[in-house]
Amino acid sequence: MDKSREKLLHDDDVVEVVDGEEVQERGRSGKKYSSFSRFILFLSLAANFVFLLKNFSHPTLGPVSKSKYAGLTNDVDIPYAWDTDRSNPNDTERNALWYEDGESNEGILAMDYEEAEMFGLEKSQPWPWDKKKSIHITNGHHNMHCLRNIYISINEYSQGIPQSLERMHVLHCLGALYDDIKCNADDTPRFTHKVGLRPGEGQIRKCRDWSKLRAWVKERDGCFKYIKHDVKDISTIERMKYCSNDSKYLPKIRKFFGYPEDWTPWPYVEQVDYLKKEDE
């Protein structure tokens, strides 16, 4: 095999020609880098760059990072809208959405203590039907609950109806939503338009899938229903007996409340009497 050597740029840089193919040799160590080796090195660097981009990009760019608890990503395209079904001028249709909104009941979790500890959550009060679970509420559902309360207050005022919610409860909700807006600090620039369109109307934003959050909560169902919002002294446990009709916890619930063996929470039936907080 014919070999020839020649100096290249520096004394330590040598190009070796082997059967007509150049192979660069670094220094005197004898390590050789062919064009194939350089290609492999390039692929490795590119893969590392993609990994860093995927794991450290800002979450507002889209489905890059997952939320800490339910693993949600910003992968749903939803446009900004000025008018929605929640602002429908038809009072009857709009009230039905706000007053009969079941989603504001769904955020109560019965979470295993081990899972809560894994998430680094502070210790929470025990769930009444399983000593291995504790009660938590998702922040998103708490915000939904607060929006509903504020709507009820506004609607009652506009209709001349006495307020069914305490003023401080409504003010708490306003403060909570204010703090949440500042915490999220959404920096999306909404476009402006000279004619017709409102700021950002129709502009697409990346959102999390609310249905996936609902599914995650359902897997940890706290069996909660926010019955009788205008009754202040209802015992909390009265609101935590609304498990599914096939729940394994129904025997415990029936025994606690003295219900017959065929009692089921659904369909919901309005009660006349409730346990009071003083009876807990």
Side-chain angles (χ1 to χ4, degrees):
M1 180 182 297
D2 293 331
K3 296 184 179 181
S4 62
R5 294 176 179 269
E6 59 180 270
K7 297 286 185 178
L8 179 65
L9 298 180
H10 302 289
D11 289 341
D12 290 335
D13 292 333
V14 178
V15 172
E16 184 178 30
V17 180
V18 180
D19 292 338
E21 181 180 355
E22 289 187 353
V23 179
Q24 186 169 351
E25 184 180 85
R26 282 291 181 189
R28 301 297 181 181
S29 63
K31 294 182 179 179
K32 300 174 181 178
Y33 296 89
S34 66
S35 57
F36 177 76
S37 298
R38 290 195 295 272
F39 176 70
I40 294 299
L41 178 61
F42 170 79
L43 286 182
S44 176
L45 291 172
N48 282 317
F49 175 78
V50 171
F51 174 82
L52 291 172
L53 182 65
K54 181 177 180 180
N55 286 278
F56 296 101
S57 294
H58 196 279
T60 57
L61 294 177
V64 177
S65 64
K66 292 184 177 181
S67 63
K68 181 177 180 179
Y69 306 105
L72 306 177
T73 56
N74 294 65
D75 56 0
V76 180
D77 291 341
I78 297 179
Y80 288 103
W82 183 261
D83 295 310
T84 72
D85 53 356
R86 298 276 170 160
S87 58
N88 185 343
N90 184 299
D91 290 345
T92 302
E93 294 177 1
R94 186 185 64 252
N95 285 344
L97 290 174
W98 285 106
Y99 278 87
E100 300 169 19
D101 177 21
E103 292 181 351
S104 60
N105 295 319
E106 295 176 350
I108 302 297
L109 306 172
M111 183 178 287
D112 289 334
Y113 278 117
E114 291 182 357
E115 184 180 32
E117 185 176 358
M118 178 190 70
F119 283 138
L121 298 173
E122 293 188 21
K123 188 174 181 179
S124 193
Q125 62 179 307
W127 192 56
W129 314 123
D130 191 331
K131 64 181 181 181
K132 296 180 180 179
K133 298 178 183 291
S134 55
I135 302 171
H136 300 263
I137 179 171
T138 63
N139 189 56
H141 284 88
H142 175 264
N143 287 346
M144 283 286 196
H145 164 78
C146 271
L147 280 173
R148 180 176 182 270
N149 284 347
I150 293 170
Y151 177 82
I152 289 172
S153 180
I154 292 172
N155 187 64
E156 289 173 344
Y157 174 79
S158 66
Q159 299 295 322
I161 301 172
Q163 293 287 303
S164 60
L165 290 159
E166 292 181 333
R167 180 172 180 268
M168 289 309 300
H169 194 164
V170 177
L171 291 176
H172 149 74
C173 282
L174 284 170
L177 293 174
Y178 173 84
D179 287 343
D180 214 46
I181 290 169
K182 293 189 72 173
C183 178
N184 287 305
D186 187 349
D187 57 355
T188 304
R190 296 172 68 151
F191 71 78
T192 58
H193 202 276
K194 287 184 178 181
V195 181
L197 295 179
R198 309 284 185 173
E201 187 173 3
Q203 180 176 329
I204 299 298
R205 53 180 165 173
K206 289 288 187 180
C207 301
R208 293 175 179 175
D209 190 334
W210 180 260
S211 66
K212 291 181 179 179
L213 175 59
R214 294 182 71 185
W216 184 80
V217 168
K218 188 64 177 176
E219 293 171 356
R220 298 154 181 80
D221 187 10
C223 304
F224 185 88
K225 180 173 175 58
Y226 190 48
I227 54 174
K228 306 291 286 184
H229 75 271
D230 54 340
V231 179
K232 303 176 181 62
D233 59 350
I234 289 182
S235 170
T236 302
I237 202 169
E238 279 279 11
R239 292 180 167 134
M240 304 202 79
K241 63 185 181 186
Y242 295 96
C243 300
S244 60
N245 286 347
D246 59 353
S247 171
K248 66 180 181 180
Y249 298 109
L250 282 193
K252 286 187 176 182
I253 295 172
R254 293 181 184 122
K255 182 178 180 180
F256 180 87
F257 287 99
Y259 294 149
E261 292 187 1
D262 60 349
W263 177 87
T264 56
W266 307 102
Y268 171 71
V269 177
E270 187 79 26
Q271 293 177 217
V272 177
D273 298 315
Y274 298 90
L275 289 178
K276 300 184 184 301
K277 290 182 178 179
E278 61 189 32
D279 300 327
E280 291 181 339

